[in-house]
Amino acid sequence: MANFSDFNTGVYFNGLFGTMPAFPMEYAGWEAAARAQLDDVMYDYVAGGAGDEFTQDANVRAFQRWGITPRMLSGAAERDLSVELFGHRFASPVFMAPVGVVGVMDAASETPGHGDLEVARTAAATGVPAVMSTLMQDPMEAVAAELGDTPAFFQLYTPNDRELAESFVRRAEAAGFAGIVVTLDTWTLGWRPRDLQHAAMPQLQAKCLANYFSDPVFRAKLDKTPEEDPGAAAIQWALTFGNPGLSWDDLAWLRGLTDLPLLLKGICHPDDVRRAKDGGVDGIYCSNHGGRQAASAPALDLLPDVVTAADGMPVLFDSGVRSGVDVVKALALGATAVGVGRPYGWGIAMGGAAGAQHVLQCLLAEADLTMGLNGYASVAELTRDVLVRIP
């Protein structure tokens, strides 16, 4: 059985023949390389967070408050990082979290402006699943066609038009997506000073709205087609996006839209977990949107109570994951699978699918080595007592 850490060995052996890595090997380098490819508006949109950005910084620092207890002579020369999720067996517990502007982050790819296709190609090449945002630059059907044999999930920003929401879900089912992830914390945009300073939002410029512009329900509401008047279509999107009135009373309707696994994203309180479970959802997605939407506690600090309340139901997690070590710590705190957002987004920006694949290889190799060198041979061995709290 191959270990993901073989990538690590391969880099050294390639060096013997004068072949150096095409991309940086850690988060700061990925961000810097992406920064060189993006204009100020796009870079700030991705790098920025809510308010004073304390929450997104705290998400990262939360991982530093945990250490891993080494165990020696444990026979961990071969590791099994695979996980079972909604009837699918994945080779690793890592997934690509939804990034709503990744479709226009691929400045360094051969055909810029199709970053969602690059993400799908990354998933196909690596076997790492993706949760694809509603806000795509290409229609979901075209994106799904690039996934190969790797399952992916469709993330739904529930619009204030039920007919449109139902149309999105039906299309996702027909395109072959493996589940629906409903984001709950973005019924309106958070306070984002960087974006406000630029007075810019990509979607109001008619970017990343392909799923709306290609939808028959949405198009029927327009006087002119999006091709004829993209500005007017973008305004209609702004009037449609988000549903401030969405409540627990709507969960039965959401559950009734599909037989696919249904996950709620943004759940961080155990009472909300239990209510979601009672409402028939199939999984919880613990996240504070990477600190981009509202000031909150670090998502990692909220994860253990969410896992306890889930009582065996799968719990996906993202927010603040920057390394393979972070992946291991989140698993030890109970996450079933761990999402990365900005890291692979920077990869798309610095090199399209090749850049994102490199980022995932780095993260998985580091996670694999972290487990092996600390004496843990499988994800099942990563329990809370593996971790030590660091004052």
Side-chain angles (χ1 to χ4, degrees):
M1 179 176 64
N3 289 321
F4 288 108
S5 61
D6 291 344
F7 172 73
N8 184 60
T9 306
V11 170
Y12 288 122
F13 274 99
N14 286 338
L16 293 175
F17 302 97
T19 301
M20 305 301 290
F23 303 108
M25 303 301 293
E26 36 68 49
Y27 183 83
W30 304 330
E31 182 175 5
R35 178 71 184 90
Q37 298 290 341
L38 301 174
D39 62 29
D40 291 344
V41 175
M42 182 55 62
Y43 172 75
D44 280 342
Y45 186 91
V46 180
D52 61 4
E53 300 186 352
F54 172 84
T55 299
Q56 72 173 20
D57 294 340
N59 280 341
V60 175
R61 291 195 301 271
F63 285 93
Q64 299 169 357
R65 296 197 293 271
W66 291 103
I68 301 168
T69 304
R71 300 298 301 271
M72 297 296 103
L73 299 175
S74 60
E78 299 288 343
R79 275 84 60 196
D80 180 7
L81 272 66
S82 66
V83 295
E84 184 84 18
L85 194 61
F86 306 120
H88 302 279
R89 193 75 186 175
F90 296 101
S92 86
V94 171
F95 67 93
M96 288 180 279
V99 176
V101 293
V102 75
V104 289
M105 288 177 65
D106 61 328
S109 69
E110 293 184 3
T111 55
H114 299 281
D116 299 294
L117 298 180
E118 296 292 296
V119 174
R121 291 163 187 154
T122 301
T126 63
V128 174
V131 180
M132 301 301 305
S133 175
T134 301
L135 300 174
M136 297 182 197
Q137 184 72 353
D138 286 281
M140 66 177 84
E141 293 82 1
V143 173
E146 298 290 335
L147 288 166
D149 295 327
T150 304
F153 299 80
F154 178 74
Q155 175 268 333
L156 175 69
Y157 284 123
T158 309
N160 56 29
D161 182 322
R162 283 197 170 192
E163 186 183 5
L164 179 58
E166 292 173 10
S167 181
F168 281 161
V169 172
R170 297 285 177 265
R171 289 173 60 193
E173 288 178 326
F177 284 92
I180 306 295
V181 176
V182 181
T183 294
L184 304 176
D185 59 9
T186 312
W187 46 268
T188 189
L189 288 179
W191 180 255
R192 300 180 188 172
R194 294 204 209 192
D195 298 339
L196 291 165
Q197 192 64 53
H198 292 298
M201 188 169 67
Q203 289 77 24
L204 284 179
Q205 300 166 354
K207 297 176 182 177
C208 304
L209 297 181
N211 284 325
Y212 293 84
F213 291 0
S214 62
D215 194 275
V217 173
F218 183 84
R219 292 173 71 93
K221 300 178 184 301
L222 303 174
D223 294 328
K224 295 182 179 179
T225 68
E227 296 77 21
E228 295 170 327
D229 192 344
I235 296 299
Q236 180 62 37
W237 165 82
L239 297 173
T240 304
F241 180 80
N243 189 344
L246 197 69
S247 72
W248 288 110
D249 293 336
D250 296 301
L251 182 54
W253 163 68
L254 286 167
R255 176 65 281 180
L257 290 180
T258 182
D259 292 328
L260 290 174
L262 181 71
L263 295 84
L264 299 185
K265 181 176 183 287
I267 297 287
C268 292
H269 192 285
D271 288 349
D272 291 345
V273 175
R274 286 184 280 267
R275 195 160 187 177
K277 192 171 185 178
D278 290 344
V281 305
D282 300 286
I284 298 296
Y285 192 147
C286 178
S287 166
N288 64 12
H289 215 103
R292 292 176 54 77
Q293 272 299 93
S296 74
L300 190 72
D301 291 346
L302 304 170
L303 176 61
D305 286 344
V306 166
V307 170
T308 298
D311 193 25
M313 186 168 58
V315 175
L316 279 63
F317 172 84
D318 74 22
S319 297
V321 178
R322 298 290 183 266
S323 69
V325 178
D326 292 346
V327 171
V328 173
K329 292 176 181 179
L331 292 170
L333 288 173
T336 309
V338 181
V340 295
R342 287 183 180 94
Y344 88 84
W346 298 139
I348 291 290
M350 70 183 181
Q357 184 173 345
H358 172 82
V359 167
L360 293 175
Q361 287 176 315
C362 290
L363 293 171
L364 290 170
E366 186 182 17
D368 187 22
L369 283 167
T370 299
M371 288 177 58
L373 292 173
N374 281 301
Y376 302 100
S378 70
V379 171
E381 296 178 16
L382 298 176
T383 56
R384 293 188 200 181
D385 57 4
V386 163
L387 299 181
V388 176
R389 190 74 170 176
I390 299 172

